[in-house]
Amino acid sequence: MFNTACGVKIPYPEKIEEKFVKLENAIRFNISFEKLESFVKDFINGLSEPLFLVIHLPLNEKEEKKLRTSESCPYHSEVLYLDGQTKQQILDILSLYGQILLNDGLSQFGIAAHKTGDELFIQKYKLVDIYCKDDNKYLPLLKKYGIEETIKLITVWDTFSHEHPGQCEIVTFNNQDIYDVVEELKAMGMYVGKVVED
């Protein structure tokens, strides 16, 4: 059975298979949640330093009210970066905050190498993309986790309907949520790169 994060609810997990599809300069895949943390760590260890962490997070209610002046206006997210990190620094962040980053349903995050641009990006509903120039580089890692190639990838988005939507929710561990994590990461040098419409 395909497992999902605490902050994610999908109507038909039995329809999701651990498969990948090659896109232009990217690989997109499904991975069952119990394997995700280990996969992320393996990916980090294969990157060349320095690294950066990116978090894509909906604006908090106070900030959103400033930008969203009517019901017809789109919602907004901020894209935050923490640059110039070593592998160990990123792994330490995962050790401290991984439970929230990996389980939270509202946020998206990625880890990438400054020089090569290779990036692992975990989208909403924990659909995962690897951005890279040479997709063959990551085929052994996908194989290690039992993720096989397919022509057409069925993702959680393909299973949703008006009657059976998915749900993404904020999670809290030890009285902390993703907004608390971001505030602590700002003290380490994380900054807002841009604000985007959702």
Side-chain angles (χ1 to χ4, degrees):
M1 176 75 103
F2 187 83
N3 294 310
T4 59
C6 294
V8 171
K9 292 182 176 58
I10 61 175
Y12 303 109
E14 67 276 7
K15 293 184 178 181
I16 307 303
E17 296 181 312
E18 291 184 293
K19 305 274 189 185
F20 75 87
V21 65
K22 291 182 180 181
L23 307 172
E24 188 175 349
N25 295 321
I27 303 169
R28 178 164 291 164
F29 62 98
N30 300 317
I31 184 169
S32 193
F33 184 73
E34 72 277 6
K35 301 178 184 178
L36 184 57
E37 182 177 5
S38 179
F39 188 98
V40 170
K41 288 178 178 177
D42 280 351
F43 183 86
I44 290 167
N45 283 320
L47 292 175
S48 56
E49 296 176 343
L51 311 182
F52 68 88
L53 171 68
V54 57
I55 297 178
H56 192 131
L57 181 65
L59 289 181
N60 63 40
E61 189 176 358
K62 181 181 175 184
E63 293 298 317
E64 188 62 63
K65 280 182 178 177
K66 293 177 185 175
L67 296 177
R68 196 164 182 262
T69 54
S70 72
E71 286 297 314
S72 62
C73 288
Y75 287 94
H76 300 82
S77 292
E78 57 186 6
V79 182
L80 303 111
Y81 297 94
L82 181 61
D83 298 330
Q85 301 292 294
T86 64
K87 293 176 189 180
Q88 191 57 55
Q89 284 173 312
I90 295 290
L91 290 169
D92 288 346
I93 288 168
L94 275 181
S95 179
L96 286 170
Y97 307 116
Q99 199 169 20
I100 293 174
L101 284 167
L102 293 165
N103 277 286
D104 186 67
L106 291 187
S107 58
Q108 305 171 73
F109 77 97
I111 297 149
H114 281 284
K115 291 176 184 173
T116 66
D118 287 14
E119 178 179 2
L120 181 76
F121 190 75
I122 301 171
Q123 305 180 39
K124 279 205 172 170
Y125 295 101
K126 307 307 173 186
L127 181 62
V128 186
D129 285 337
I130 293 174
Y131 298 106
C132 55
K133 292 175 183 172
D134 178 13
D135 52 25
N136 291 321
K137 178 179 178 182
Y138 293 102
L139 297 186
L141 181 58
L142 292 163
K143 184 176 181 180
K144 175 182 176 181
Y145 285 87
I147 303 168
E148 300 175 354
E149 187 170 10
T150 185
I151 301 299
K152 178 168 172 42
L153 184 68
I154 305 298
T155 73
V156 294
W157 295 99
D158 298 310
T159 70
F160 298 162
S161 66
H162 184 70
E163 295 78 20
H164 302 284
Q167 293 180 331
C168 288
E169 303 169 342
I170 195 166
V171 298
T172 303
F173 290 103
N174 299 322
N175 296 316
Q176 273 194 320
D177 62 28
I178 188 63
Y179 292 96
D180 297 317
V181 168
V182 163
E183 286 307 309
E184 292 192 10
L185 290 173
K186 283 179 179 177
M188 299 181 196
M190 179 166 266
Y191 62 92
V192 178
K194 57 186 173 181
V195 174
V196 296
E197 293 182 354
D198 285 341

